């Protein structure tokens, strides 16, 4: 027992009444910006063949208050064919997350991997509906492994940092 002295178990309440259990809550999710362009309508509906689809995405996390963070998922889609651009769609979909008692070393992983994973299915549906409303077949994006991408990005950053450190010696 003496070796546990000074440590607080997960979920234990401190003497001042503060709960130490990590807590995450999705406060709200919303479309911040949505754009759909159909520059070659109505001719585009006569084009034969499948367009080439290019999908780009980006994640941004901002701290809005002590325990409140906004995570924004930006998805840009361009569909091109031999004749030109079939359509362009851009979506900025965000969520407000309340985070308490999350260790600082795990905060970035949550904001850049887990939060986008929670938002993605809803952003995917909004984008599919926008493309369908432009009179194209719904664009159903494949699931994205945000955790894997985060780990890959962290490994690249560490490799780059250790390479710079080795070069300075």
């Amino acid at each position: 027992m003496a070796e546990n002295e000074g440590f607080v178990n997960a979920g234990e309440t401190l003497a001042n009444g503060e709960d130490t259990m990590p807590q995450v809550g999705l406060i709200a999710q919303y479309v911040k910006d949505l754009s759909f362009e159909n520059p070659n309508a109505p001719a585009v509906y006569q084009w034969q063949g499948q367009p080439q689809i290019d999908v780009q995405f980006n994640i941004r996390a901002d701290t809005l208050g002590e325990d409140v963070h906004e995570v924004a998922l930006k998805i840009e889609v361009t569909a091109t064919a031999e004749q030109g651009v079939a359509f362009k769609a851009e979506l900025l979909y965000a969520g407000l997350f309340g985070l308490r008692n999350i260790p600082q070393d795990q905060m970035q992983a949550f904001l850049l991997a887990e939060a986008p994973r929670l938002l993605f299915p809803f952003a995917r549906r909004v984008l599919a509906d926008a493309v369908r409303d432009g009179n194209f077949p719904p664009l159903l994006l494949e699931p994205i492994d945000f955790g894997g991408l985060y780990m890959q990005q962290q490994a690249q950053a560490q490799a780059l940092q250790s390479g710079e450190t080795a070069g300075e010696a």
Side-chain angles (χ1 to χ4, degrees):
M1 281 286 185
E3 57 194 45
N4 288 336
E5 202 170 308
F7 290 95
V8 178
N9 294 328
E12 187 173 303
T13 303
L14 298 175
N16 64 4
E18 186 178 321
D19 188 7
T20 60
M21 179 73 122
Q23 299 173 353
V24 174
L26 180 56
I27 299 167
Q29 54 185 328
Y30 43 91
V31 174
K32 281 189 86 156
D33 187 25
L34 175 61
S35 170
F36 183 84
E37 298 175 30
N38 192 350
N40 290 301
V44 69
Y45 302 118
Q46 303 300 314
W47 295 354
Q48 299 297 313
Q50 288 287 94
Q52 186 73 25
I53 307 287
D54 178 47
V55 179
Q56 301 292 320
F57 66 92
N58 197 353
I59 302 163
R60 188 186 78 231
D62 295 315
T63 301
L64 302 180
E66 185 178 336
D67 294 332
V68 180
H69 303 268
E70 181 186 59
V71 175
L73 182 59
K74 184 175 185 178
I75 304 171
E76 297 176 67
V77 179
T78 304
T80 54
E82 288 179 16
Q83 300 88 339
V85 174
F87 68 84
K88 283 186 171 188
E90 184 177 309
L91 172 65
L92 185 58
Y93 194 83
L96 285 181
F97 291 87
L99 305 173
R100 283 198 185 121
N101 303 321
I102 306 294
Q104 197 60 39
D105 63 332
Q106 296 175 13
M107 184 72 74
Q108 186 178 15
F110 178 84
L111 293 173
L112 298 178
E114 186 61 19
R117 184 190 69 78
L118 295 170
L119 295 174
F120 182 74
F122 302 98
R124 178 181 183 230
R125 182 195 50 79
V126 169
L127 195 57
D129 288 349
V131 171
R132 186 200 63 224
D133 291 346
N135 200 35
F136 293 95
L139 177 66
L140 300 177
L141 295 175
E142 293 292 323
I144 298 170
D145 180 10
F146 291 102
L149 290 173
Y150 175 76
M151 296 300 284
Q152 181 182 7
Q153 186 180 36
Q154 291 299 102
Q156 287 174 347
Q158 279 184 334
L160 193 86
Q161 189 177 29
S162 62
E164 288 176 3
T165 305
E168 294 173 1

